[in-house]
Amino acid sequence: MRVIDTVKEMQETADKLRGEKRIGFVPTMGFLHEGHLALVRKARELADVTVASIFVNPIQFGPTEDLAKYPRDLDRDMKLLEQEKTDILFYPPYDEMYPKGYTTYVQVRGLEDYLCGQTRKGHFVGVATVVAKLFNMVKPHIAVFGQKDYQQLTIIERMVKDLNMDVRIIPYPTVREEGGLAMSSRNTYLSSAERQKALLIYASIKRLQELVKTGETDSLLLKEEARRLLASENGVNIEYVSISDPETLEEVDSVKDRAVYAVAVRIGKTRLIDNAMLGGGVT
Ligand code: AMP
């Protein structure tokens, strides 16, 4: 695996490759788990050259968030990426991404106001900005993003469409641990007791999917049921429970066709998010 850490080398390499080969790209913040690796496998399946990036993007973290203690393990990440036959790791330092005088930001209006955007002000501007920059560096034909971060995926899809970016976004289903907890680099913060409590998130997904399958459509009632389940153990603090339109992310009153159940909770000091589709024949 080739490791590239400057924008110039990445762009020159991408320029040479792009004419002849399909470039597949998986942007990450590192501390890789099976969810990230599944994305890499998907990129490999759809492209000739696979590029993964690791960059913990400071501008998507709020002042009170976990930037300083975000987990990092480059050696381990490199071994895992090599095992997956990743061709290139792009690992730029901060100054390469945001040199002195940097002042341009990408805002995907509207979509950033809902769900996580309500508590994480500015987060999605940080995400859209770094992804736009990475696309200009890696020049991928396809880029794979996890549905685990549903709002992020929606925002990136919108940005690519609105700015006519020449890249196809491939959504990838959420990879879960045994028991259903969505894999996340932040799961490493959880104690074993907290991990147990976190299983309630998946229980709430299953419960709502089951209710919708048996004919329940009333969002208020469904959200009430989710809240009741999540609160059934002490220490699960709900940030939001939402049932939204899959494209606009606006809250819906009823699950007519398909809707997204999205949830954010805090367990101890750890913030966890998850989501799943309701209706539309989802099993
Ligand atoms: P992150 O390193 O958290 O920024 O995530 C990098 C990419 O991996 C994003 O596209 C995430 O949506 C995706 N991802 C993270 N966790 C999972 C998971 N459990 N299943 C599928 N994709 C994931």
Side-chain angles (χ1 to χ4, degrees), residues 119 200-201 204 223-242 261-267 270-272:
T119 45
L200 286 172
I201 301 169
S204 73
K223 285 188 278 192
E224 209 37 62
E225 176 65 3
R227 284 181 176 278
R228 190 191 61 73
L229 245 170
L230 292 165
S232 66
E233 291 223 27
N234 285 334
V236 181
N237 299 308
I238 300 170
E239 191 180 285
Y240 67 76
V241 153
S242 141
Y261 165 51
V263 50
V265 301
R266 277 176 198 282
I267 301 180
T270 310
R271 182 175 183 277
L272 299 172

Coordinates of all heavy atoms in Angstrom, one line a residue, residues 119 200-201 204 223-242 261-267 270-272:
T119 N -27.9 20.0 17.4 CA -27.0 20.1 18.6 C -25.6 20.3 18.1 O -24.8 20.8 18.9 CB -27.1 18.8 19.5 OG1 -27.1 17.7 18.6 CG2 -28.3 18.9 20.3
L200 N -30.1 -1.1 23.6 CA -31.4 -0.6 23.5 C -31.7 0.2 22.2 O -32.8 0.3 21.8 CB -31.8 0.3 24.7 CG -32.0 -0.4 26.1 CD1 -32.0 0.7 27.2 CD2 -33.2 -1.2 26.0
I201 N -30.6 0.8 21.7 CA -30.8 1.5 20.4 C -31.3 0.6 19.3 O -32.3 0.9 18.6 CB -29.5 2.2 20.0 CG1 -29.0 3.1 21.1 CG2 -29.7 3.0 18.7 CD1 -27.6 3.6 20.9
S204 N -34.8 -0.6 19.9 CA -35.8 0.4 19.5 C -36.0 0.4 17.9 O -37.2 0.5 17.5 CB -35.5 1.8 19.9 OG -34.4 2.4 19.2
K223 N -42.6 7.3 18.0 CA -41.5 8.0 18.7 C -41.6 7.8 20.2 O -40.7 7.7 20.9 CB -41.4 9.5 18.3 CG -40.8 9.7 17.0 CD -40.6 11.2 16.7 CE -41.9 11.8 16.2 NZ -41.7 13.2 15.6
E224 N -42.9 7.8 20.7 CA -43.2 7.6 22.1 C -42.7 6.2 22.5 O -42.1 6.1 23.6 CB -44.7 7.8 22.3 CG -45.1 8.3 23.7 CD -44.1 9.3 24.3 OE1 -44.0 10.4 23.7 OE2 -43.5 9.0 25.3
E225 N -43.0 5.3 21.7 CA -42.5 3.9 22.0 C -41.0 3.8 22.0 O -40.4 3.1 22.9 CB -43.1 2.9 20.9 CG -42.7 1.5 21.0 CD -43.2 0.8 22.3 OE1 -43.9 1.4 23.1 OE2 -42.8 -0.4 22.4
A226 N -40.4 4.5 21.1 CA -38.9 4.4 21.0 C -38.3 5.1 22.3 O -37.4 4.5 23.0 CB -38.4 5.2 19.8
R227 N -38.9 6.2 22.7 CA -38.4 6.9 23.9 C -38.6 6.0 25.2 O -37.8 5.9 26.0 CB -39.2 8.2 24.1 CG -38.7 9.3 23.2 CD -39.5 10.6 23.4 NE -38.9 11.6 22.6 CZ -37.9 12.4 22.9 NH1 -37.2 12.2 24.0 NH2 -37.4 13.2 22.0
R228 N -39.8 5.3 25.2 CA -40.1 4.5 26.3 C -39.1 3.4 26.5 O -38.5 3.1 27.5 CB -41.5 3.9 26.2 CG -42.1 3.2 27.4 CD -43.3 2.4 27.0 NE -43.1 1.3 26.0 CZ -42.5 0.2 26.2 NH1 -42.0 -0.1 27.4 NH2 -42.3 -0.7 25.3
L229 N -38.8 2.7 25.3 CA -37.8 1.7 25.3 C -36.4 2.1 25.7 O -35.7 1.5 26.6 CB -37.7 1.1 23.9 CG -38.2 -0.4 23.7 CD1 -38.2 -0.7 22.2 CD2 -37.2 -1.3 24.4
L230 N -36.0 3.3 25.1 CA -34.6 3.8 25.4 C -34.5 4.2 26.8 O -33.4 4.1 27.4 CB -34.3 5.0 24.5 CG -34.2 4.7 23.0 CD1 -34.2 5.9 22.1 CD2 -32.8 3.9 22.7
A231 N -35.6 4.7 27.4 CA -35.5 5.1 28.8 C -35.7 4.0 29.8 O -35.7 4.2 31.0 CB -36.6 6.2 29.0
S232 N -35.9 2.8 29.3 CA -36.1 1.6 30.2 C -34.9 1.3 31.1 O -35.0 0.5 32.0 CB -36.7 0.4 29.4 OG -35.7 -0.1 28.6
E233 N -33.7 1.8 30.7 CA -32.6 1.7 31.6 C -32.1 3.1 32.0 O -32.1 4.0 31.1 CB -31.5 0.9 30.8 CG -31.8 -0.5 30.6 CD -30.6 -1.4 30.9 OE1 -29.8 -1.1 31.7 OE2 -30.6 -2.5 30.3
N234 N -31.6 3.2 33.2 CA -31.0 4.5 33.6 C -29.8 4.8 32.8 O -29.0 3.8 32.5 CB -30.6 4.4 35.1 CG -31.9 4.5 36.0 OD1 -32.9 5.1 35.5 ND2 -31.8 4.0 37.2
G235 N -29.6 6.0 32.5 CA -28.3 6.4 31.9 C -28.3 6.5 30.4 O -27.2 6.7 29.8
V236 N -29.4 6.2 29.8 CA -29.5 6.4 28.4 C -30.2 7.8 28.2 O -31.4 7.9 28.4 CB -30.3 5.3 27.7 CG1 -30.3 5.6 26.2 CG2 -29.7 4.0 27.9
N237 N -29.4 8.8 27.9 CA -30.0 10.2 27.7 C -30.3 10.5 26.3 O -29.4 10.5 25.4 CB -29.1 11.2 28.3 CG -28.8 11.0 29.8 OD1 -29.8 10.8 30.5 ND2 -27.6 10.8 30.2
I238 N -31.6 10.7 26.0 CA -32.0 10.8 24.6 C -31.7 12.3 24.1 O -32.1 13.2 24.8 CB -33.5 10.5 24.4 CG1 -33.7 9.1 24.8 CG2 -33.9 10.8 23.0 CD1 -35.2 8.7 25.0
E239 N -31.0 12.4 23.0 CA -30.8 13.7 22.4 C -31.9 14.0 21.5 O -32.5 15.1 21.5 CB -29.4 13.8 21.7 CG -29.0 15.2 21.3 CD -27.7 15.2 20.7 OE1 -26.6 15.0 21.4 OE2 -27.6 15.3 19.4
Y240 N -32.1 13.1 20.6 CA -33.4 13.2 19.7 C -33.8 11.8 19.3 O -33.0 10.9 19.2 CB -33.2 14.1 18.5 CG -32.2 13.6 17.5 CD1 -32.5 12.5 16.6 CD2 -30.9 14.1 17.4 CE1 -31.6 12.1 15.6 CE2 -30.0 13.7 16.4 CZ -30.3 12.7 15.6 OH -29.4 12.2 14.6
V241 N -35.1 11.8 19.0 CA -35.7 10.6 18.4 C -36.5 11.2 17.3 O -37.3 12.1 17.5 CB -36.6 9.9 19.4 CG1 -37.7 9.1 18.7 CG2 -35.8 8.9 20.3
S242 N -36.3 10.7 16.0 CA -37.0 11.4 14.9 C -37.5 10.4 13.9 O -36.9 9.4 13.7 CB -36.0 12.4 14.3 OG -36.1 12.4 12.9
Y261 N -36.2 6.3 10.7 CA -36.1 6.5 12.2 C -34.6 6.8 12.5 O -33.8 6.0 12.2 CB -36.6 5.2 12.9 CG -36.2 5.1 14.3 CD1 -36.5 6.2 15.2 CD2 -35.6 4.0 14.9 CE1 -36.2 6.1 16.5 CE2 -35.2 3.9 16.2 CZ -35.5 5.0 17.0 OH -35.2 4.9 18.4
A262 N -34.4 8.0 13.1 CA -33.0 8.3 13.5 C -33.0 8.7 15.0 O -34.0 9.2 15.5 CB -32.5 9.5 12.7
V263 N -31.9 8.3 15.6 CA -31.8 8.5 17.0 C -30.4 8.9 17.5 O -29.4 8.4 16.8 CB -32.3 7.2 17.8 CG1 -31.6 5.9 17.2 CG2 -32.1 7.2 19.3
A264 N -30.3 9.8 18.4 CA -29.0 10.1 19.0 C -29.2 10.0 20.6 O -30.2 10.6 21.1 CB -28.6 11.5 18.6
V265 N -28.3 9.3 21.2 CA -28.3 9.2 22.7 C -26.9 9.5 23.2 O -25.9 9.4 22.5 CB -28.8 7.9 23.2 CG1 -30.2 7.5 22.7 CG2 -27.8 6.7 22.8
R266 N -27.0 9.9 24.5 CA -25.7 9.9 25.2 C -25.7 8.9 26.3 O -26.7 8.8 27.1 CB -25.5 11.3 25.9 CG -25.0 12.3 25.0 CD -24.9 13.7 25.6 NE -24.8 14.6 24.6 CZ -23.6 14.9 23.9 NH1 -22.5 14.3 24.3 NH2 -23.6 15.8 22.9
I267 N -24.7 8.1 26.4 CA -24.5 7.1 27.4 C -23.2 7.4 28.1 O -22.2 7.3 27.5 CB -24.6 5.6 26.9 CG1 -25.9 5.4 26.1 CG2 -24.4 4.6 28.0 CD1 -26.1 4.0 25.5
T270 N -20.4 9.3 26.1 CA -20.4 8.9 24.7 C -21.7 9.2 24.0 O -22.7 8.8 24.5 CB -20.1 7.3 24.6 OG1 -19.0 7.0 25.4 CG2 -19.8 7.0 23.2
R271 N -21.5 9.8 22.9 CA -22.7 10.1 22.0 C -22.8 9.1 20.9 O -21.8 8.9 20.2 CB -22.5 11.5 21.5 CG -23.7 12.0 20.6 CD -23.5 13.4 20.2 NE -24.6 13.9 19.4 CZ -24.8 13.7 18.1 NH1 -23.9 13.0 17.4 NH2 -25.9 14.2 17.5
L272 N -23.9 8.4 20.8 CA -24.1 7.4 19.8 C -25.3 7.8 18.9 O -26.3 8.3 19.4 CB -24.4 6.0 20.5 CG -23.3 5.5 21.4 CD1 -23.9 4.3 22.1 CD2 -22.1 5.1 20.6

